[in-house]
């Protein structure tokens, strides 16, 4: 009978056991076991969050051709994990710095890593140092027209980010490049940033003290992470808030939340508060989702969140509300169908999730109608093809609304039989 995991922990145990048995297998049996592992990973990584260790094993097993594809999945799943980003970049190290395509591949990954995890207060400097080494090698190979200016701009960008390890990183840069850099100016910039570091050290101390109290303070630890993120963001990102955070603040707040949620996987590394499990708290995932508004990042955050908290109606509602893009009308039924397969605390939760899905579908219909009106008004300009696409979009949106309504009636009759009263 085929194995059907009921939780991420159950899947993790099976993958770990199968992987550990590889060394004891014959060559033929080993190939069969690797195929079994591959099938499980491919089938269930979209439903359950694989741990960083399982992703690294997967990358090792698929070989050099597909390892980068697997590590991309890993960094998408654990966006706050500095270790995973560094491993992904390390495996893209060019064999020759004259190979511009290979150099640019690693460069792009490092740029993505700095944007997503470069503001990790404790470990972010490691990504910057790795990127600095990349910059120096590029300069040595003559890839930049003005290599010294590029390196100086890079160091300035890092020193503006409040990171615990910036001082040691700058000492390394100083010893590497000597007087090539304007040291006095950079020292002054670092001193200003160190003041911001001190504010964050206060938050780090509070998190550490709560973690030392053990499981009894887990909810307080979660609340502290949330307050820390909101302090970084400078506003409350929840719907209805009258304040709007600056884009840079949003990324800093997201970095705090990603950090909290990635360390919850139990890496066994870092400070105590980075080993405590808070990923089961839907509040942090909902906060991360709404932080990005109605965007691809928000939908992606909600998608990751429901893997960890599948029984959270709040997360499923958030996922429906932030659905985005031209294929929104196609996403909503998928969200609703997945949500209806979960076990929520009350029947009322099912109703609220369905109402959110219906609201998003209606929003898609409104956009579709606007497309048709615009196409008709400017028929001479867009052409008949665009009008046909818009009308097709409207038909799909109506079809989705009808399906959602029928599904809602069926679910309510099953779980909420007296709803009509």
């Amino acid at each position: 009978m085929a194995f059907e995991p009921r939780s991420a922990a159950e899947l993790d145990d099976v993958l770990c056991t199968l992987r550990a048995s590889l060394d004891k297998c014959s060559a033929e049996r080993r190939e069969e076991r690797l195929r079994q592992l591959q099938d499980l990973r491919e089938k269930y990584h979209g439903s359950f969050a694989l741990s960083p260790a399982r992703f690294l094993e997967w990358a090792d097993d698929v070989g050099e051709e597909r390892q980068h594809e697997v590590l991309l999945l890993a960094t998408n799943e654990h966006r706050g994990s500095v270790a995973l980003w560094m491993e992904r970049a390390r495996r893209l190290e060019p064999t020759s710095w004259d190979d511009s395509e290979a150099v640019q591949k690693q460069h792009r990954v490092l740029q993505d890593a700095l944007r997503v995890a470069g503001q990790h207060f404790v470990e972010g400097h490691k990504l910057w140092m790795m990127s600095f080494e990349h910059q120096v090698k590029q300069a040595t190979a003559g890839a930049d027209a003005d290599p010294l200016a590029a390196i100086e701009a890079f160091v300035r960008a890092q020193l503006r980010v409040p990171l615990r390890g910036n001082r040691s990183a700058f000492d390394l840069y100083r010893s590497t490049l000597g007087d090539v850099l304007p040291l006095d100016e950079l020292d002054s910039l670092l001193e200003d940033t160190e003041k911001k570091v001190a504010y964050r050290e206060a938050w780090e101390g509070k998190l550490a003290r709560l973690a030392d109290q053990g499981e009894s303070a887990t909810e307080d630890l979660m609340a502290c992470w949330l307050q820390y993120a909101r302090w970084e963001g400078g506003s409350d990102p929840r719907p209805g808030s009258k304040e709007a955070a600056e884009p840079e603040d949003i990324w800093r707040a997201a970095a705090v939340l990603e950090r909290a949620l990635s360390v919850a996987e139990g890496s066994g590394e870092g400070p105590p508060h980075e080993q405590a499990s808070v990923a089961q708290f839907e509040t942090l995932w909902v906060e991360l989702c709404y932080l990005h508004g109605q965007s691809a990042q928000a939908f992606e955050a909600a998608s990751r969140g429901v893997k960890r908290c599948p029984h959270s109606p709040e997360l499923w509602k958030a996922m429906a509300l932030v659905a985005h893009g031209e294929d929104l009308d196609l996403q909503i039924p998928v969200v609703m169908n997945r949500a209806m397969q979960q076990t929520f605390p009350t029947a009322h939760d099912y109703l609220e999730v369905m109402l959110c899905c219906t609201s998003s579908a209606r929003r898609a219909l409104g956009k579709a109608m606007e497309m048709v009106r615009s196409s008709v008004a400017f028929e001479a300009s867009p052409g008949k093809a665009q009008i046909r696409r818009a009308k097709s979009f409207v038909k799909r949106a109506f079809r989705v609304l009808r399906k959602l309504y029928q599904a809602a009636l069926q679910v309510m009759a099953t779980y909420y039989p007296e709803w009509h009263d």
Side-chain angles (χ1 to χ4, degrees), residues 6-163:
R6 291 168 293 181
S7 67
E10 189 173 310
L11 177 62
D12 189 84
D13 287 343
V14 171
L15 290 176
C16 188
T17 302
L18 289 175
R19 186 60 162 59
S21 68
L22 286 177
D23 293 336
K24 303 175 184 178
C25 297
S26 63
E28 183 178 347
R29 181 65 174 162
R30 178 184 173 84
E31 288 300 317
E32 180 183 342
R33 187 60 53 84
L34 282 172
R35 284 195 297 272
Q36 187 179 4
L37 278 166
Q38 180 69 4
D39 290 343
L40 286 172
R41 291 159 175 161
E42 292 280 2
K43 184 175 181 180
Y44 293 110
H45 83 270
S47 302
F48 302 110
L50 298 184
S51 68
R54 300 294 86 78
F55 270 116
L56 291 176
E57 291 172 354
W58 187 0
D60 291 337
D61 291 343
V62 295
E64 189 173 347
E65 290 185 1
R66 287 198 60 211
Q67 65 175 339
H68 305 303
E69 177 187 338
V70 173
L71 290 173
L72 172 61
L73 292 175
T75 51
N76 284 342
E77 189 66 62
H78 303 281
R79 295 177 68 81
S81 172
V82 171
L84 277 178
W85 279 107
M86 291 182 69
E87 181 63 19
R88 183 180 166 196
R90 186 189 65 77
R91 297 195 189 199
L92 284 170
E93 181 79 21
T95 54
S96 169
W97 286 86
D98 293 328
D99 185 347
S100 60
E101 184 178 349
V103 170
Q104 284 304 309
K105 277 185 179 180
Q106 188 186 43
H107 179 76
R108 285 192 294 269
V109 168
L110 286 170
Q111 289 299 304
D112 288 343
L114 291 178
R115 178 175 57 83
V116 174
Q119 301 207 39
H120 189 301
F121 180 73
V122 176
E123 296 187 341
H125 69 285
K126 296 178 182 178
L127 275 174
W128 287 91
M129 292 172 73
M130 189 177 195
S131 298
F132 173 80
E133 183 180 349
H134 177 88
Q135 289 276 355
V136 171
K137 289 180 178 178
Q138 269 192 301
T140 304
D144 293 319
D146 190 349
L148 292 180
I151 291 174
E152 181 183 337
F154 175 86
V155 174
R156 287 182 182 275
Q158 176 180 350
L159 297 185
R160 290 190 185 99
V161 181
L163 302 173

Side-chain angles (χ1 to χ4, degrees), residues 77-270:
E77 189 66 62
H78 303 281
R79 295 177 68 81
S81 172
V82 171
L84 277 178
W85 279 107
M86 291 182 69
E87 181 63 19
R88 183 180 166 196
R90 186 189 65 77
R91 297 195 189 199
L92 284 170
E93 181 79 21
T95 54
S96 169
W97 286 86
D98 293 328
D99 185 347
S100 60
E101 184 178 349
V103 170
Q104 284 304 309
K105 277 185 179 180
Q106 188 186 43
H107 179 76
R108 285 192 294 269
V109 168
L110 286 170
Q111 289 299 304
D112 288 343
L114 291 178
R115 178 175 57 83
V116 174
Q119 301 207 39
H120 189 301
F121 180 73
V122 176
E123 296 187 341
H125 69 285
K126 296 178 182 178
L127 275 174
W128 287 91
M129 292 172 73
M130 189 177 195
S131 298
F132 173 80
E133 183 180 349
H134 177 88
Q135 289 276 355
V136 171
K137 289 180 178 178
Q138 269 192 301
T140 304
D144 293 319
D146 190 349
L148 292 180
I151 291 174
E152 181 183 337
F154 175 86
V155 174
R156 287 182 182 275
Q158 176 180 350
L159 297 185
R160 290 190 185 99
V161 181
L163 302 173
R164 179 181 284 172
N166 263 355
R167 173 66 69 181
S168 60
F170 184 55
D171 289 341
L172 175 65
Y173 302 162
R174 189 199 306 266
S175 64
T176 301
L177 298 177
D179 296 333
V180 171
L181 296 173
L183 298 179
D184 290 341
E185 291 182 30
L186 295 176
D187 267 324
S188 177
L189 177 59
L190 180 58
E191 287 298 328
D192 290 340
T193 307
E194 288 290 286
K195 296 174 184 177
K196 300 176 183 178
V197 169
Y199 300 143
R200 287 156 180 82
E201 289 289 7
W203 283 103
E204 297 293 323
K206 186 175 181 180
L207 289 168
R209 289 191 294 273
L210 287 170
D212 287 339
Q213 296 177 30
E215 294 185 5
S216 61
T218 302
E219 290 195 19
D220 292 335
L221 180 63
M222 182 277 296
C224 189
W225 277 113
L226 185 61
Q227 292 164 6
Y228 189 0
R230 289 184 176 176
W231 176 81
E232 283 282 21
S235 70
D236 185 348
R238 290 175 297 179
S241 173
K242 295 181 180 179
E243 298 182 28
E246 296 295 327
E248 187 176 340
D249 295 335
I250 289 175
W251 282 111
R252 278 201 292 265
V256 171
L257 291 170
E258 291 285 5
R259 180 181 161 203
L261 294 168
S262 66
V263 299
E265 306 301 331
S267 63
E269 301 175 356

Side-chain angles (χ1 to χ4, degrees), residues 369-390:
M369 295 296 293
E370 184 60 33
M371 286 174 62
V372 172
R373 283 193 291 268
S374 298
S375 298
V376 172
F378 301 97
E379 182 173 352
S381 176
K384 294 182 179 180
Q386 183 175 344
I387 296 175
R388 284 197 299 269
R389 286 196 299 271

Side-chain angles (χ1 to χ4, degrees), residues 261-288:
L261 294 168
S262 66
V263 299
E265 306 301 331
S267 63
E269 301 175 356
H273 56 280
E274 294 209 343
Q275 299 177 42
S277 179
V278 291
Q280 75 274 21
F281 287 99
E282 64 183 45
T283 307
L284 294 179
W285 287 106
V286 172
E287 187 85 1
L288 180 61

